[in-house]
Amino acid sequence: MPASRDVRPVFDPGLPPNVATRLRDNPEVLIPKSRLTDHRPLRRPLLVAGGTALAALNLVWAAASIPSVEAGAFGAYVPGAVVHAALVGAAGIAALRTTPRSWLPEALREGRRRDLWTLFCATPLPLSCTAFVLGSLWWPTATAVLSVYSAAALWVAFGWTARDRFATAHAHRYLVPEDFSSSYSALLTDVQRTIDRLEEAGERFDAAEPLAVLRAEEWRIASALHRYQRQRAEYLKKAARAADRQERSTLTRQYEQQEQEYRELSRQRHRILEYGKVIEEALRTPQGRAEVERALASGELLAADRSDGGS
């Protein structure tokens, strides 16, 4: 299903403001309904488990290396340091290469800072050897170094996946452009353009209440349109496999009901478009602006929208 590029993400107006703001500010992590069951649920636990295990490995290595340091046995210390460094480095580089770009912190998505992360992943061995050579200063130095790598591992585990986990937790409260076919999305883009007009008017007048009504309608229409598309696709599949007259008759009734619902969405789109035109025309003249201000203050436009079958 080709996605519409003109549609903006649509959010349930019932979302708490702080949640809606956080989702709106990170559109790249919003998940289309068709991808809710893809690799994401598996990849998140892998990152969390891997990062946590790596942080624990640093503690194990610190404890296991104490006897070698106390004995000054550099030959026994180095093999363990090599294994530790290899595991830390490989895990850090693999995390960067396999994590979806939208999950990564913005600084690590491209450019020189990605190279710096790779360099950071390659430093455990020289730092471990430097700490050993320092002798009496080994413990504070090693503690500082391993604390940094433990913090980085936990950051990968929980920081990189935080936005995606948040978007997944609220996935039933928003719809994204990929959820809408370009064949049907024009009515939703028209509603969003009307909202834009009213927001422009709201820069001069108090349009909070009618904007709330239109945003509720935007969500209602988006949800109904997404449901219609899904039902339409299911109908086409079943119709192609229908084997007897009774089944075809049942499918025909379902089709007619779906089309009736779509026609109602189209009528509501027309009413909202007319509403937007009234505002746009009125704002062109000082007298018209005064009329809009008076109507918004008295609630006339809001009442008219509701009387036309709005939310």
Side-chain angles (χ1 to χ4, degrees):
M1 180 179 69
S4 172
R5 297 182 179 179
D6 297 326
V7 177
R8 295 193 299 262
V10 184
F11 300 91
D12 182 349
L15 278 170
N18 61 320
V19 174
T21 299
R22 186 174 172 185
L23 291 171
R24 193 174 283 110
D25 290 345
N26 296 282
E28 70 275 11
V29 301
L30 300 181
I31 308 168
K33 294 292 182 284
S34 61
R35 285 167 41 203
L36 279 174
T37 57
D38 67 2
H39 64 277
R40 290 169 180 264
L42 175 62
R43 188 167 291 179
R44 280 197 306 271
L46 286 176
L47 275 177
V48 171
T52 304
L54 205 61
L57 172 66
N58 289 324
L59 297 177
V60 172
W61 164 240
S65 59
I66 291 176
S68 299
V69 174
E70 291 178 344
F74 192 72
Y77 179 85
V78 169
V82 170
V83 172
H84 170 260
L87 290 174
V88 170
I93 294 172
L96 181 67
R97 299 285 178 85
T98 61
T99 300
R101 186 178 182 276
S102 62
W103 292 11
L104 293 173
E106 189 171 353
L108 294 180
R109 292 178 188 174
E110 56 188 356
R112 183 176 299 175
R113 292 186 182 180
R114 286 178 65 93
D115 298 332
L116 290 176
W117 173 264
T118 302
L119 180 62
F120 170 74
C121 293
T123 54
L125 181 59
L127 289 178
S128 294
C129 292
T130 300
F132 183 91
V133 171
L134 291 175
S136 61
L137 296 177
W138 174 85
W139 182 249
T141 305
T143 300
V145 170
L146 294 175
S147 295
V148 170
Y149 284 101
S150 297
L154 294 175
W155 178 51
V156 171
F158 299 100
W160 288 12
T161 62
R163 294 188 305 165
D164 183 79
R165 286 185 282 115
F166 187 79
T168 302
H170 298 281
H172 61 294
R173 307 291 294 275
Y174 61 79
L175 292 162
V176 299
E178 287 182 50
D179 290 322
F180 302 101
S181 166
S182 56
S183 305
Y184 299 109
S185 61
L187 64 95
L188 186 55
T189 57
D190 287 340
V191 172
Q192 292 181 336
R193 290 187 188 116
T194 301
I195 290 174
D196 292 341
R197 292 191 187 104
L198 191 55
E199 285 180 335
E200 182 182 350
E203 294 175 359
R204 286 167 267 183
F205 314 115
D206 182 11
E209 191 174 4
L211 268 173
V213 170
L214 282 185
R215 289 192 178 113
E217 277 300 283
E218 178 192 25
W219 175 248
R220 185 186 73 83
I221 290 173
S223 301
L225 181 61
H226 182 257
R227 182 174 61 252
Y228 168 80
Q229 289 181 162
R230 187 179 66 252
Q231 292 174 344
R232 177 72 167 158
E234 290 173 357
Y235 162 79
L236 292 174
K237 289 180 182 178
K238 290 179 180 178
R241 297 195 303 261
D244 57 65
R245 181 179 300 177
Q246 182 177 358
E247 185 177 3
R248 286 194 294 270
S249 177
T250 301
L251 289 172
T252 299
R253 288 194 298 272
Q254 291 176 357
Y255 173 79
E256 291 173 351
Q257 181 180 356
Q258 293 165 12
E259 293 306 299
Q260 175 60 31
E261 292 173 357
Y262 183 76
R263 286 192 291 271
E264 175 54 36
L265 290 178
S266 298
R267 284 193 290 269
Q268 182 63 358
R269 164 211 190 182
H270 178 73
R271 287 189 286 263
I272 292 174
L273 277 175
E274 291 300 316
Y275 179 35
K277 288 178 182 178
V278 168
I279 294 173
E280 189 174 14
E281 290 292 331
L283 289 174
R284 289 180 180 175
T285 65
Q287 182 181 2
R289 287 193 292 271
E291 291 176 359
V292 171
E293 186 174 21
R294 179 185 59 79
L296 290 175
S298 65
E300 291 177 11
L301 289 178
L302 179 61
D305 186 55
R306 283 175 172 159
S307 67
D308 281 341
S311 171

